[in-house]
Amino acid sequence: MHTFATHSQLAAMELKFRCDCPITSAIDILGDKWMLVIIKQMLVQGKETFKDFMECDEGIATNILTAKLKQLEAAGLVVKSKLPTNKKSVYYHLTDKGLSLAPVILELVLWSDSQVRPYHPMMQNIEALEMMRSDKEAFVKGMIERYQKKIAATKFSDS
């Protein structure tokens, strides 16, 4: 039995905008403290299941994770799917729209390294920072290609 809401049903339930400003509208979707963290976990850390997200260092509460995944789905940034061999587990994957945030994630990493590190010296050092800085386009392209290759290697069914 198909129990998932359609994209338009989700969009009607979850997306609310304060005004017509493009920046404010983007922040209405992505500006909460968890949305880009979840996208980063998927894109960079390869997280796919609810359990994967719960095991992350960020420590998101289950009810918040559920709500944020629904909002990401409503915004067309994430889709749910299942393995034909395991109908119990739900997998979350970035759509092309979600993957289009890769340059934003990269810029946040670079900004944080240069602007936040002085206040948070224990912040993780990322080995690839120099490559990120020297060729942003190539780094983003490689990150997206690795993600797409990983998803394509597994045959998911629509849920």
Side-chain angles (χ1 to χ4, degrees):
M1 180 175 180
H2 188 325
T3 59
F4 298 108
T6 66
H7 175 70
S8 55
Q9 288 170 326
L10 283 169
M13 294 186 312
E14 303 291 335
L15 300 180
K16 299 198 179 359
F17 298 98
R18 290 176 274 185
C19 68
D20 295 336
C21 171
I23 293 171
T24 303
S25 296
I27 289 170
D28 285 339
I29 293 174
L30 300 170
D32 127 325
K33 96 182 210 182
W34 292 110
M35 301 303 257
L36 287 174
V37 169
I38 293 168
I39 291 168
K40 179 264 313 182
Q41 290 172 344
M42 296 173 82
L43 180 62
V44 177
Q45 299 171 328
K47 304 304 179 188
E48 296 179 295
T49 65
F50 196 87
K51 182 180 180 209
D52 290 342
F53 295 117
M54 293 307 301
E55 292 172 348
C56 288
D57 292 339
E58 286 88 358
I60 188 169
T62 57
N63 61 324
I64 301 220
L65 178 57
T66 298
K68 298 309 168 191
L69 287 169
K70 284 181 182 176
Q71 288 174 330
L72 287 167
E73 189 180 6
L77 300 171
V78 169
V79 293
K80 288 195 273 189
S81 55
K82 294 184 180 189
L83 288 172
T85 57
N86 177 359
K87 295 290 186 182
K88 290 182 181 181
S89 295
V90 174
Y91 292 81
Y92 297 90
H93 298 112
L94 295 168
T95 62
D96 288 343
K97 187 190 274 188
L99 285 171
S100 73
L101 288 165
V104 174
I105 299 288
L106 173 68
E107 289 298 337
L108 281 171
V109 168
L110 296 174
W111 180 83
S112 183
D113 184 61
S114 67
Q115 302 301 317
V116 178
R117 188 171 297 284
Y119 305 102
H120 185 22
M122 300 305 293
M123 186 168 58
Q124 176 184 28
N125 278 311
I126 298 171
E127 292 179 26
L129 276 171
E130 286 311 311
M131 184 181 171
M132 289 178 188
R133 282 189 190 97
S134 67
D135 194 346
K136 292 177 188 179
E137 282 185 40
F139 190 87
V140 167
K141 183 179 178 191
M143 190 167 42
I144 290 170
E145 286 175 355
R146 281 186 299 279
Y147 185 85
Q148 289 172 326
K149 189 180 286 186
K150 176 186 175 221
I151 299 309
T154 307
K155 300 297 180 207
F156 291 99
S157 60
D158 294 335
S159 43

